[in-house]
Amino acid sequence: MNQNKIKKAVFPVAGMGTRFLPATKANPKEMLPVVDKPLIQYAVEEAIDAGITELIFVTSMSKRPIEDHFDKNYELEAKLAERGKDEVLAMVRDIIPKGVSCVYVRQPEALGLGHAVLCASSVVNYEPFVVLLADELVERVSCNPLSEMIKLYNKHNASVLACLDVAKEEVSKYGILGVEGDFLSSAKVSTMIEKPSMSQAPSTLAAVGRYVLSPKVFDWLKDIKPGAGGEIQLTDALVKLIPEEGLYAYKLEEKRHDCGSKLGYLKATVEHGIKHPELGERFKNYLKKYVNTELS
Ligand code: G1P
């Protein structure tokens, strides 16, 4: 029996992307390309691969390019067909495969990640759902971590979030968890703090932008008061789930790039460039030469 009844994914994409200004002045940060694909498309492909069929984007002003990207572009398709560029045409057409739909809801004010997720509640319609933060680029080499997390959700009937160890100096950038048990069986989250100082942090395990959530989280999000940074934090609602339904941590073994930072974005670009089917070899040769001549 296919247990995966989780069909909806929420993509909070309303943030201003100030760290990438001026590139993000008129363009959403989620549309920044890693080689030839925007960040948001990597996240969408990951979700679809995990069985998601309804994509819910929580947007704001100036996020129109995201809607256009996932919409049909008749003019472009006609031109590509006319020029016989069938391969590119198929690639452009198949960005959103048949059977998958997109819904856009607005977050009227930038009140935080928790508030963004709450904005999607009427579309999620009180079903379990996943949340993906597109600036966290997660590789799918040996498995799709999101699929594994959905399996865990189904096993425990409780929310799951992805985490990994970060450097001590980095804990204040993340939601940090304390866990009980080990990751090989079931690691239960015992506590979680949003953007703690090094001394407050229960560990160095950070939440990294992938969540499989019980709809119960909406009940808490409705009443959560602003927390870290004066924002309505998803973390603060997740903490409320711990005694109520339980909360599980999934340790990400696959590589992940923090594309919300310029350095992480550059690393992702280089690593994806090297693996690119068309230009990977040439790029690798160029890099080797560059490192040997300019950086030695
Ligand atoms: C958000 C979450 C935080 C999480 C992080 C992962 O923070 O609030 O718990 O660790 O994403 O990228 P943000 O980066 O939006 O400030």
Side-chain angles (χ1 to χ4, degrees):
M1 189 182 82
N2 180 12
Q3 271 205 308
N4 179 12
K5 298 217 177 65
I6 302 185
K7 296 290 172 204
K8 297 184 179 181
V10 173
F11 301 86
V13 292
M16 286 203 284
T18 46
R19 274 189 275 174
F20 277 88
L21 282 169
T24 48
K25 185 168 173 240
N27 256 321
K29 68 170 174 176
E30 297 79 10
M31 288 302 291
L32 290 172
V34 171
V35 187
D36 49 11
K37 218 189 273 182
L39 282 170
I40 188 67
Q41 192 179 330
Y42 285 96
V44 159
E45 287 176 0
E46 182 189 332
I48 293 173
D49 181 69
I52 298 298
T53 52
E54 191 168 335
L55 313 170
I56 304 161
F57 300 88
V58 183
T59 71
S60 61
M61 256 173 68
S62 81
K63 298 288 178 160
R64 203 33 218 282
I66 297 178
E67 288 185 46
D68 291 344
H69 184 70
F70 292 115
D71 200 359
K72 200 169 172 66
N73 184 335
Y74 286 103
E75 211 183 317
L76 175 67
E77 289 187 17
K79 285 237 161 66
L80 292 172
E82 206 179 282
R83 293 180 193 165
K85 302 211 173 224
D86 298 343
E87 224 174 285
V88 192
L89 176 61
M91 185 245 286
V92 165
R93 270 189 185 149
D94 293 345
I95 290 180
I96 298 294
K98 279 207 175 66
V100 176
S101 60
C102 299
V103 180
Y104 298 88
V105 293
R106 281 280 179 122
Q107 183 183 17
E109 274 180 281
L111 298 180
L113 178 60
H115 179 256
V117 172
L118 183 61
C119 289
S121 64
S122 59
V123 189
V124 171
N125 199 19
Y126 222 77
E127 289 171 28
F129 64 107
V130 303
V131 176
L132 295 96
L133 307 187
D135 53 10
E136 298 279 6
L137 182 54
V138 173
E139 305 285 348
R140 284 177 284 148
V141 179
S142 61
C143 70
N144 180 344
L146 193 61
S147 304
E148 300 305 309
M149 291 170 66
I150 291 175
K151 281 185 205 155
L152 261 186
Y153 180 99
N154 288 331
K155 179 173 167 199
H156 298 292
N157 211 7
S159 302
V160 180
L161 57 89
C163 66
L164 50 72
D165 263 314
V166 295
K168 267 196 190 143
E169 312 72 57
E170 301 255 284
V171 294
S172 62
K173 286 172 38 186
Y174 295 94
I176 301 292
L177 1 159
V179 296
E180 286 162 4
D182 67 80
F183 286 101
L184 286 176
S185 49
S186 288
K188 266 191 131 173
V189 178
S190 54
T191 175
M192 190 170 173
I193 307 178
E194 183 66 19
K195 304 198 171 66
S197 64
M198 257 202 262
S199 59
Q200 286 172 315
S203 74
T204 50
L205 277 176
V208 282
R210 296 294 181 274
Y211 309 83
V212 184
L213 298 178
S214 144
K216 261 264 164 229
V217 76
F218 291 127
D219 299 341
W220 292 108
L221 281 173
K222 274 192 278 200
D223 297 325
I224 287 289
K225 300 277 170 284
E231 296 189 337
I232 297 173
Q233 297 291 355
L234 179 60
T235 294
D236 296 341
L238 297 181
V239 167
K240 302 286 188 187
L241 294 179
I242 297 173
E244 203 180 21
E245 295 185 337
L247 177 64
Y248 287 82
Y250 172 84
K251 192 137 179 209
L252 207 60
E253 302 291 352
E254 296 290 294
K255 195 156 206 172
R256 146 273 183 189
H257 297 284
D258 171 16
C259 292
S261 84
K262 285 181 199 165
L263 187 60
Y265 176 73
L266 282 176
K267 288 180 187 172
T269 303
V270 169
E271 291 188 27
H272 278 250
I274 285 172
K275 284 187 284 184
H276 193 276
E278 255 168 59
L279 48 85
E281 272 312 301
R282 274 181 292 156
F283 184 55
K284 208 192 300 182
N285 290 337
Y286 157 78
L287 265 188
K288 273 189 201 154
K289 218 165 161 188
Y290 185 79
V291 170
N292 287 336
T293 53
E294 309 284 328
L295 301 181
S296 58

